[in-house]
Amino acid sequence: MSEMINNRELKAIDSAKRKVILKQLFKDLHEGKNPYEVKAHFDALIGNVTIEEISQLQQDEGNLSVDEMKRLYEAHSFFRGEETYSIKGPEDEPGHPVHTFELENREIEKLLQNRLRVHLEQFTLEDSAENINLLLEDCNLLYDIDKHYSRKENLIFPYLEKYGIYGPTTNMWRIDDFIRDGIKLAKKKLADYDGDKNGVIEELQFVLREVNEMIYREENILFPMAMQNFTEDEWVKIARESDEIGYCLTAPSQEWKPARKEIDANAISEGFIKMGTGILSLKQLELIMNHLPVDITFIDQDDVVRYFSHGKERIFARTKAVIGRTVQNCHPPRSVHVVEDLLADFKAGTKDTEDFWIKFRDKYVYIRYFAIRDEDGQYMGTLEFTQNIDPIQAIDGEKRILS
């Protein structure tokens, strides 16, 4: 490929040409060309790839299959060379979301290096019950990474989308899901161990590799990209909503407060809303919605999340960052087609409701969707209604008096 490009042109190569060349290099690698020859072309033609270029490439290639996505990330890791991105600032302060993410990454690395790798080597030598149990304990600890990824997906990604950056939203979320699935599969193979030693080893090696690679992507691409774009107010909101999802293996030692005026997070209008069957203040309405024994989320006719209730024990994590975000981007990529099909049926008028029920952690969750229509039958949005029905299923007999 280098023969096709005049060396003089390379000195003044513009961003459009760089993009074309970079895509071709990734394609060459995917098609099985010698990786070191491709790398030599990369070094000669591109040099250092910027955060924005990788993000744009991921965004442009958003329809890749799972296997192709894995190869894209492997190629990115191969090309990364010795480039590092370093942006010093408030993210180095305890309590800042990026500081917390990186603090968690250090704990994850310790878990991988000091426990999981060691116990995997012991298991490789002897698949005894003791070594199986040690690996199970490690996997249980490592699955705490779900909170780390959930905060990233529900708090960082929405703001990136606000700035027109969509690559990480789809592609990084997919890799997060690969890792989650890998840990769960390893746990299952260990819990139901049937002598398939190689299967366990391969799965855990995959997890080790992908978790380490994700740490690199976060700290050298995602977080610097976010620091370049997000406002201080947005970081304050992210920090305050992080507690709702939780932390991985550690937690911030203190609340982060920028060295400026405090933000009044408790301000609420004292206005009133007149409805067909009564009048409520905004405060009363909000309290009513948050005291319902169900979780409610509403998206409008354009698939944009406009509201969610905020009860004491939400079943699925929701943060204020989802407000104003399309519902498709609030779901893992592999389940987006279900959302799309459901909304298409509601908009076409072929369905008015749809129900699902799943086992989720220690709950039996009943999820209902309702098409919201006005008096003329015009579709106005969708209401999601989520409830833990375990207590209801446990009801027996009758109760007619106060206990």
Side-chain angles (χ1 to χ4, degrees):
M1 181 175 175
S2 58
E3 295 81 9
M4 298 168 58
I5 301 175
N6 188 294
N7 286 332
R8 292 178 182 175
E9 289 182 67
L10 292 175
K11 294 179 181 179
I13 196 166
D14 62 23
S15 59
K17 288 182 180 178
R18 282 175 61 87
K19 184 176 177 181
V20 171
I21 295 168
L22 191 58
K23 278 191 174 185
Q24 182 61 47
L25 289 169
F26 275 98
K27 183 179 178 183
D28 289 346
L29 197 62
H30 293 166
E31 291 177 350
K33 293 190 178 180
N34 186 304
Y36 293 98
E37 182 181 343
V38 177
K39 180 70 161 61
H41 287 165
F42 173 83
D43 293 338
L45 304 180
I46 297 294
N48 288 333
V49 59
T50 67
I51 298 172
E52 290 76 14
E53 285 174 320
I54 286 294
S55 175
Q56 188 61 49
L57 179 64
Q58 294 170 342
Q59 186 169 323
D60 292 346
E61 304 299 326
N63 293 324
L64 294 175
S65 70
V66 169
D67 288 340
E68 287 170 329
M69 279 307 309
K70 288 180 179 178
R71 287 198 296 273
L72 175 61
Y73 272 104
E74 288 168 0
H76 169 211
S77 301
F78 182 71
F79 284 154
R80 74 193 188 200
E82 298 180 359
E83 181 185 9
T84 58
Y85 307 95
S86 179
I87 302 174
K88 297 299 179 184
E91 75 276 19
D92 295 314
E93 300 172 7
H96 188 283
V98 173
H99 183 278
T100 302
F101 275 118
E102 293 184 347
L103 194 68
E104 290 176 326
N105 281 341
R106 302 294 77 79
E107 292 301 316
I108 292 167
E109 288 171 338
K110 289 178 188 176
L111 174 59
L112 297 183
Q113 189 62 33
N114 300 338
R115 290 187 54 126
L116 187 54
R117 287 190 188 278
V118 173
H119 295 153
L120 182 57
E121 289 175 4
Q122 294 174 355
F123 172 83
T124 302
L125 295 173
E126 181 185 3
D127 55 348
S128 64
E130 180 183 358
N131 289 333
I132 290 171
N133 286 332
L134 286 171
L135 283 176
L136 257 176
E137 290 175 7
D138 296 342
C139 288
N140 285 331
L141 285 172
L142 184 58
Y143 199 72
D144 213 34
I145 207 168
D146 175 58
K147 299 171 189 171
H148 180 98
Y149 292 162
S150 291
R151 292 205 323 281
K152 178 175 64 176
E153 294 154 359
N154 291 287
L155 295 173
I156 301 295
F157 290 173
Y159 285 111
L160 286 179
E161 292 167 16
K162 173 184 172 182
Y163 293 101
I165 303 170
Y166 294 93
T169 302
T170 299
N171 302 324
M172 209 174 260
W173 200 334
R174 282 179 176 167
I175 302 296
D176 290 347
D177 281 343
F178 296 156
I179 292 169
R180 288 179 174 111
D181 290 346
I183 298 171
K184 287 191 283 190
L185 185 55
K187 286 173 61 176
K188 187 175 189 307
K189 288 185 175 183
L190 287 164
D192 304 327
Y193 188 64
D194 59 0
D196 182 15
K197 181 191 283 191
N198 287 336
V200 172
I201 294 171
E202 288 175 6
E203 201 61 47
L204 288 176
Q205 286 176 339
F206 166 81
V207 168
L208 284 163
R209 181 178 67 254
E210 293 299 326
V211 171
N212 277 314
E213 290 295 341
M214 182 55 72
I215 290 173
Y216 175 87
R217 296 179 191 111
E218 289 178 352
E219 298 189 358
N220 293 280
I221 297 177
L222 180 68
F223 299 153
M225 190 187 300
M227 290 304 301
Q228 287 177 354
N229 288 281
F230 294 2
T231 66
E232 193 173 70
D233 281 350
E234 287 166 343
W235 283 120
V236 169
K237 292 175 183 176
I238 290 168
R240 288 185 171 174
E241 294 190 8
S242 293
D243 286 342
E244 298 175 16
I245 296 175
Y247 302 96
C248 170
L249 301 177
T250 185
S253 58
Q254 63 189 65
E255 180 184 359
W256 176 67
K257 295 180 180 178
R260 61 170 177 78
K261 66 179 180 64
E262 271 296 296
I263 298 173
D264 183 6
N266 299 315
I268 186 169
S269 170
E270 292 300 324
F272 288 80
I273 297 176
K274 183 178 180 181
M275 294 174 282
T277 53
I279 299 175
L280 294 171
S281 72
L282 289 180
K283 185 67 174 179
Q284 289 172 329
L285 181 59
E286 183 177 43
L287 287 170
I288 290 170
M289 299 299 283
N290 290 341
H291 279 75
L292 293 174
V294 296
D295 295 343
I296 290 175
T297 303
F298 175 72
I299 66 170
D300 67 14
Q301 67 272 18
D302 297 317
D303 303 344
V304 175
V305 180
R306 293 301 180 191
Y307 168 81
F308 66 89
S309 61
H310 198 268
K312 292 181 180 179
E313 296 183 7
R314 280 203 64 93
I315 295 171
F316 299 117
R318 291 281 190 278
T319 66
K320 294 175 186 175
V322 305
I323 303 299
R325 192 182 186 199
T326 60
V327 69
Q328 290 86 348
N329 285 332
C330 296
H331 288 77
R334 60 184 171 188
S335 64
V336 168
H337 69 283
V338 178
V339 177
E340 294 279 13
D341 291 345
L342 175 62
L343 293 176
D345 286 340
F346 281 2
K347 291 173 182 178
T350 56
K351 280 186 181 179
D352 286 320
T353 65
E354 185 65 83
D355 298 346
F356 302 92
W357 43 96
I358 60 172
K359 292 287 186 179
F360 181 71
R361 295 175 183 164
D362 59 340
K363 299 178 175 66
Y364 194 23
V365 182
Y366 188 32
I367 308 168
R368 308 193 71 188
Y369 293 92
F370 301 90
I372 304 299
R373 308 187 192 280
D374 64 15
E375 297 84 353
D376 299 322
Q378 182 73 26
Y379 174 77
M380 301 297 293
T382 294
L383 183 70
E384 180 191 72
F385 175 104
T386 307
Q387 184 176 18
N388 176 18
I389 59 172
D390 262 339
I392 296 175
Q393 288 194 317
I395 292 175
D396 187 31
E398 293 183 348
K399 178 182 176 182
R400 293 177 177 268
I401 59 173
L402 291 172
S403 56

